[in-house]
Amino acid sequence: GAVVSQHPSRVICKSGTSVKIECRSLDFQATTMFWYRQFPKKSLMLMATSNEGSKATYEQGVEKDKFLINHASLTLSTLTVTSAHPEDSSFYICSAPRAGGPTYEQYFGPGTRLTVT
Amino acid sequence: GNSVTQMEGPVTLSEEAFLTINCTYTATGYPSLFWYVQYPGEGLQLLLKATKADDKGSNKGFEATYRKETTSFHLEKGSVQVSDSAVYFCALSNTNAGKSTFGDGTTLTVKP
């Protein structure tokens, strides 16, 4: 079964409003989670690294004031798209590393489809 | 920085055909290499991985070998099925717990 969940799976919002997307690790703790954005027929682009108990680390070119990330607990990270515009419409995917013996494996959430009208 | 270059698609094959999707990478150190699959409307699923040179990852009939000398991790399957139709992403990570760098994805369509 899924080990990383995202909510909502789809959201439609009006331009200028804010939208919050949740990413949860279901049966393990994740001090770090990652947020990606996927454009149609394109690859995943890393937006930021979410760090539990501290500030997120944003990739170059990603506006931290527009894409607010909060990692308030060891199982939950949230991405808030503030003052959304149509160009923010995309598929947002989170991932969390889970330890499996001496190594980790990245688990990806099912994604959230955001449409801004 | 890290980068992954993947064979451009789309790729269309007939059922039972042989599949190869090329993937080469540039990275510092000794990254782990991954192939992910994304079915229509779904999130990414790990297909297979290799964590060191000469390792072979395999799953569901798919295989890929970590070739350090050619910095490649080509995905192969001897006989594809219609159900293999999906987008395939090659990726790397310098640490398994760290962020991943993805290729652009290759769309595979298998026709009966």
Side-chain angles (χ1 to χ4, degrees):
Chain A
V3 295
V4 174
S5 69
Q6 280 185 242
H7 178 79
S9 57
R10 293 176 178 272
V11 57
I12 301 172
C13 70
K14 293 188 176 181
S15 189
T17 61
S18 296
V19 174
K20 181 184 285 187
I21 302 169
E22 294 184 347
C23 176
R24 292 183 184 273
S25 55
L26 296 182
D27 59 357
F28 66 101
Q29 295 180 334
T31 57
T32 301
M33 292 183 178
F34 302 96
W35 286 98
Y36 296 85
R37 182 174 177 176
Q38 185 180 26
F39 293 95
K41 300 186 186 299
K42 294 288 186 182
S43 185
L44 281 74
M45 292 181 58
L46 179 67
M47 298 175 65
T49 302
S50 175
N51 304 299
E52 189 269 335
S54 65
K55 292 183 179 180
T57 306
Y58 290 83
E59 295 299 302
Q60 193 173 9
V62 177
E63 299 176 60
K64 61 181 179 181
D65 294 331
K66 179 166 187 62
F67 297 100
L68 300 179
I69 291 172
N70 184 16
H71 197 143
S73 78
L74 288 169
T75 59
L76 174 64
S77 173
T78 60
L79 168 68
T80 301
V81 183
T82 63
S83 187
H85 288 93
E87 57 265 30
D88 299 324
S89 298
S90 195
F91 196 52
Y92 293 88
I93 300 174
C94 69
S95 76
R98 178 182 184 183
T103 64
Y104 286 84
E105 184 169 322
Q106 289 284 348
Y107 286 90
F108 288 81
T112 296
R113 173 79 58 195
L114 170 63
T115 303
V116 185
T117 61
Chain B
N2 295 341
S3 68
V4 176
T5 302
Q6 213 176 309
M7 176 174 131
E8 288 189 23
V11 174
T12 302
L13 295 173
S14 297
E15 205 165 21
E16 299 184 2
F18 184 84
L19 168 71
T20 299
I21 301 178
N22 290 339
C23 172
T24 57
Y25 67 91
T26 302
T28 55
Y30 302 95
S32 294
L33 302 175
F34 307 85
W35 276 101
Y36 291 92
V37 58
Q38 186 178 33
Y39 297 101
E42 298 184 13
L44 269 71
Q45 301 174 29
L46 177 65
L47 180 59
L48 53 86
K49 69 177 181 181
T51 58
K52 60 182 187 296
D54 299 326
D55 266 4
K56 177 186 283 188
S58 62
N59 185 28
K60 299 181 180 180
F62 291 90
E63 292 182 341
T65 301
Y66 190 143
R67 301 287 187 200
K68 187 171 181 295
E69 64 277 14
T70 54
T71 61
S72 65
F73 193 55
H74 304 322
L75 181 68
E76 296 182 337
K77 186 174 185 181
S79 176
V80 294
Q81 305 300 313
V82 172
S83 57
D84 293 327
S85 297
V87 182
Y88 293 82
F89 292 93
C90 185
L92 68 82
S93 178
N94 279 107
T95 66
N96 285 338
K99 57 189 178 182
S100 303
T101 301
F102 288 84
D104 285 343
T106 301
T107 300
L108 170 67
T109 302
V110 180
K111 296 189 173 182

